[in-house]
């Protein structure tokens, strides 16, 4: 009898899981849909073209800016809005206002939320960066993060996340991808991208993987110029494109195309990949058989408008095979140019119609056929759920990586030698230093801010010689963890000097920063925390105190000492 009850319970669990898992958009895009057909028939030709465009919106730039966006939406009948910086309550109110402007078909709302709403909005949660997630060995945690991120975005009336980043970051000098990537290994990137993607899509959030065909091995930021990807087709197929291939096979909803010059795929001079038919139609749609929505990267970036300004890029992108234009530099002129291209027989209304139907099918998948205004009551509370905070801590616990000296943990609580805790970077005590001090109340804390004077550094050096044990924490206090620390040379030399005391060193920064800290490998023990969050500091402190076993592995190669996959696990 117990066995029968158990089997029934398992069957119910699987059926509930199936009920909560949304059918991928690509499985529905070509199906007969009465709502899509009904809405499509109501659209005139200008309204159809307007569906191809998404406009930029902010909630931190004042009422005049918000009103100007509303006018563009209403006049040009645009298909969607991409929200940037601001606050959740203001965004919810503005979303409701924008949705009321155009009655024929609701707007699809998108956001760059690679690490959750906290990437753009105040008063919301930030999950770990993808580089941090790249260290985690349990991809189910990343799936769970996808579920939580989807819950947050949907609560705020956002339908599309421009994530995950599927770029393989094998260039430590990459100025724009870097910590936003899962790392340098294509298999690790693919597996974690798919886990994150499936978590979001199964929860009903439309995902858009970026930046096709791969922005990881560049040293130019496409926001400011046109990067070059000079590799041959074999290399691109086997490395850059690999995660996208795997994700497409796994049911990926959307792809965002990058602004890059890739001669092996299209040798047209100064032509960004966003405007290339061989890349978008031949490679992505035909060769890779991608059936979802194809988005441009932001069309106001210098990587594209440097050579094709004032809406010219937009019509070329549509001709190349893109479905959705994100952030046109001049959407009014672009719409005019698209109609002109149709009159010149460069483009057909049938091609426009097919794009519009795919967009409407996506809106149906997003449940916009049952659109409801956002309820703003308890919004902030709902976006700061306890279960999400618990998961964030679980993620950093799983990511923290011991590169050296795990045998030194835990530090014995009957430790009798004098202990110094060096907190380098911040101006105030940190979660890390305070956690260590709770267990070693007699330890002396030295706070060493980035702007410390040479004279003060010399004083600290003299003092440290009196201590038998040194714990050194290195923090990147910037909002985003770049590949090199913004420390003055005197401070970097100080860190090198400290290694002669064989410290236990914890680095709360981009892992690539270790390459710019000569002598760091001389530490008695070395932990990488990937980012300067309170949760990560708690994780590292608990590893040192023996309260947590580190399980993370390096997702990138730093130097000859520390290569991809390094990490001591007890």
């Amino acid at each position: 009898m117990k066995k029968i009850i158990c089997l029934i319970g398992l069957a119910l669990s699987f059926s509930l899981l199936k009920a909560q898992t949304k059918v991928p958009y690509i499985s529905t895009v070509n199906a007969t849909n009465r709502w899509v057909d009904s809405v499509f028939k109501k659209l005139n030709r200008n309204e159809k073209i307007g569906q191809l465009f998404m406009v930029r919106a902010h909630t931190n730039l004042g009422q005049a800016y918000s009103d100007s966006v509303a006018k563009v939406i209403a006049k040009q009948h645009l298909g969607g809005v991409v929200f940037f910086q601001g606050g959740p309550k203001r965004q919810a109110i503005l979303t409701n206002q924008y949705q009321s402007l155009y009655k024929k078909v609701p707007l699809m709302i998108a956001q760059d939320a690679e690490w959750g709403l906290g990437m753009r909005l105040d008063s919301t949660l930030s999950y770990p960066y993808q580089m941090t997630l790249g260290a985690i060995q349990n991809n189910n945690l990343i799936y769970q993060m996808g579920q939580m991120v989807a819950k947050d975005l949907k609560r705020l009336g956002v339908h599309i996340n421009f994530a995950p980043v599927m770029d393989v970051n094998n260039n430590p000098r990459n100025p724009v991808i870097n910590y936003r990537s899962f790392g340098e290994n294509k298999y690790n990137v693919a597996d974690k991208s798919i886990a994150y993607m499936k978590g979001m899509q199964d929860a009903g959030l439309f995902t858009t993987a970026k930046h096709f065909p791969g922005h990881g091995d560049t040293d130019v930021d496409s926001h400011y110029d046109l990067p070059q990807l000079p590799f041959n087709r074999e290399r691109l197929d086997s490395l850059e494109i690999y995660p996208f291939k795997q994700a497409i096979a796994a049911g990926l909803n959307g792809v965002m195309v990058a602004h890059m010059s890739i001669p092996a795929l299209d040798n047209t001079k100064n032509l960004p990949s966003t405007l290339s038919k061989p890349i978008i139609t031949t490679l992505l749609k035909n060769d890779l058989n991608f059936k979802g929505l194809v988005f441009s990267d932001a069309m106001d970036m210098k990587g594209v408008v440097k050579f094709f300004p004032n809406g010219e890029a937009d019509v070329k992108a549509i001709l190349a095979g893109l479905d959705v234009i994100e952030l046109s530099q001049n959407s009014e002129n672009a719409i005019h140019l698209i109609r002109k291209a149709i009159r010149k027989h460069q483009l057909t209304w049938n091609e426009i119609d097919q794009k519009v139907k795919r967009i409407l099918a996506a809106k149906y998948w997003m449940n916009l056929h049952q659109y409801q205004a956002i309820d703003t009551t308890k919004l902030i509370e709902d976006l700061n759920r306890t279960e999400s905070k618990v998961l964030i801590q679980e993620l950093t616990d799983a990511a923290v990586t011991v590169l050296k000296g795990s045998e030194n943990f835990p530090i014995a609580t009957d430790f009798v030698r004098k202990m110094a805790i060096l907190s380098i970077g911040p101006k105030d005590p940190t979660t890390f230093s305070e956690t260590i001090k709770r267990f070693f109340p007699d330890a002396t804390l030295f706070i060493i801010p980035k702007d410390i004077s040479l004279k003060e550094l010399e004083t600290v050096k003299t003092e440290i010689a009196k201590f038998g044990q040194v714990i050194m924490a290195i923090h990147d206090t910037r909002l985003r963890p770049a590949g090199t620390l913004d420390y003055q040379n005197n401070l970097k030399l100080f860190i090198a000097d400290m290694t002669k005391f064989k410290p236990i060193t914890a680095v709360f920064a981009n892992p690539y920063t270790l390459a710019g800290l000569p002598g760091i490998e001389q530490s008695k023990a070395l932990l990488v925390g990937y980012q300067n969050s309170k949760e990560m500091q708690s994780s590292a402190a608990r590893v040192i105190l023996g309260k947590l076993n580190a399980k993370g592995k390096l997702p990138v190669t730093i130097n000859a000492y520390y290569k991809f996959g390094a990490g001591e696990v007890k």
Side-chain angles (χ1 to χ4, degrees), residues 461-502:
K461 281 184 190 178
T462 303
E463 289 294 314
I464 295 301
K466 302 174 184 177
F467 292 83
Q469 173 69 68
V470 177
I471 296 179
M472 180 166 62
I474 299 169
H475 301 261
D476 187 347
T477 58
R478 294 169 294 184
L479 181 63
R480 306 287 171 84
T484 55
L485 287 168
D486 60 340
Y487 288 3
Q488 55 185 308
N489 286 333
N490 288 335
L491 188 52
K492 290 181 180 179
L493 290 172
F494 169 82
I495 292 170
D497 284 345
M498 290 300 100
T499 60
K500 69 185 179 185
F501 297 108
K502 302 298 180 183

Side-chain angles (χ1 to χ4, degrees), residues 233 237 278 280-290:
R233 177 65 185 264
D237 282 341
I280 297 169
T281 298
T282 305
L283 174 58
L284 179 59
K285 291 187 172 183
N286 296 341
D287 295 351
L288 300 183
N289 198 33
F290 180 63

Side-chain angles (χ1 to χ4, degrees), residues 531-542:
Q531 60 185 93
N532 191 37
S533 68
K534 291 180 179 180
E535 294 85 3
M536 184 60 82
Q537 291 177 42
S538 172
S539 299
R542 285 183 289 121

Side-chain angles (χ1 to χ4, degrees), residues 171-451:
N171 186 340
R173 298 182 304 279
N174 194 311
V176 65
I177 304 302
N178 206 300
Y179 68 91
R180 297 164 62 197
S181 165
F182 287 111
E184 71 176 34
N185 180 276
K186 67 180 183 180
Y187 302 109
N188 194 42
V189 170
D191 290 346
K192 287 177 167 54
S193 294
I194 291 169
Y196 188 21
M197 171 199 92
K198 279 187 169 292
M200 290 187 283
Q201 288 187 182
D202 286 353
L205 186 70
F206 198 97
T207 65
T208 302
K210 59 190 185 186
H211 305 81
F212 184 84
H215 208 318
D217 200 355
T218 62
D219 56 8
V220 171
D221 185 342
S222 51
H223 289 85
Y224 305 109
D225 207 341
L226 182 63
Q228 303 288 317
L229 207 59
F231 310 110
N232 62 35
R233 177 65 185 264
E234 183 180 6
R235 148 70 191 257
L236 295 169
D237 282 341
S238 64
L239 182 58
E240 275 79 9
I241 298 173
Y242 179 83
F244 294 96
K245 285 181 184 176
Q246 302 306 308
I248 290 168
L252 176 64
N253 283 346
V255 167
M256 178 186 287
V257 181
H259 306 307
M260 294 184 295
S261 173
I262 314 173
L265 301 178
D266 190 333
N267 61 9
T268 307
K269 186 177 180 181
N270 295 329
L271 188 74
S273 39
T274 29
L275 315 188
S276 168
K277 192 166 187 175
I279 292 173
I280 297 169
T281 298
T282 305
L283 174 58
L284 179 59
K285 291 187 172 183
N286 296 341
D287 295 351
L288 300 183
N289 198 33
F290 180 63
K291 302 302 182 186
L293 279 188
V294 184
F295 294 74
S296 73
D297 203 344
M299 296 295 276
D300 55 1
M301 292 163 61
K302 295 294 184 184
V304 63
V305 298
K306 179 178 179 179
F307 301 104
F308 303 95
N310 299 320
E312 183 184 355
D314 303 335
V315 68
K316 286 185 175 295
I318 294 298
L319 287 166
L322 278 176
D323 298 310
V324 183
I325 300 295
E326 183 201 356
L327 315 185
S328 171
Q329 189 186 39
N330 187 336
S331 54
E332 183 175 19
N333 195 48
I335 291 169
H336 168 73
L337 290 174
I338 288 172
R339 295 207 63 154
K340 185 177 180 180
I342 294 170
R343 289 195 300 272
K344 288 186 172 182
H345 305 292
Q346 298 169 328
L347 187 64
T348 68
W349 277 112
N350 182 59
E351 290 171 309
I352 296 294
D353 290 349
Q354 293 308 309
K355 295 177 191 297
V356 173
K357 286 180 179 179
R358 283 197 294 273
I359 291 167
L360 292 176
K363 290 187 175 187
Y364 184 88
W365 188 91
M366 298 167 195
N367 287 330
L368 281 167
H369 62 297
Q370 299 173 333
Y371 169 73
Q372 291 182 332
I374 304 162
D375 181 1
T376 59
T377 58
K378 295 184 65 178
L379 179 63
I380 303 300
E381 295 93 325
D382 291 347
L383 296 177
N384 288 272
R385 299 183 306 277
T386 298
E387 60 180 330
S388 298
K389 295 176 183 178
V390 169
L391 178 60
I392 292 169
Q393 189 64 64
E394 289 178 353
L395 289 162
T396 59
D397 286 353
V400 64
T401 304
V402 176
L403 294 180
K404 179 182 180 182
S406 59
E407 68 276 6
N408 295 292
F409 311 139
I411 301 173
T413 53
D414 60 353
F415 182 79
V416 294
R417 292 183 297 163
K418 290 178 66 178
M419 177 188 290
I421 304 171
L422 304 181
S423 184
I424 301 174
K427 295 185 177 182
D428 299 297
T430 64
T431 297
F432 177 82
S433 63
E434 290 179 334
T435 303
I436 300 293
K437 281 253 328 153
R438 276 200 298 273
F439 284 83
F440 297 96
D442 295 330
T444 301
L445 174 61
F446 293 85
I447 296 177
I448 304 168
K450 288 189 298 186
D451 58 357

Side-chain angles (χ1 to χ4, degrees), residues 42-59:
K42 296 175 185 176
L43 300 178
N44 62 40
R45 286 182 166 182
N46 277 340
E47 289 171 331
K48 288 177 181 178
I49 297 175
Q51 286 297 302
L52 311 182
F53 289 83
M54 301 186 78
V55 66
R56 174 189 289 268
H58 292 250
T59 58

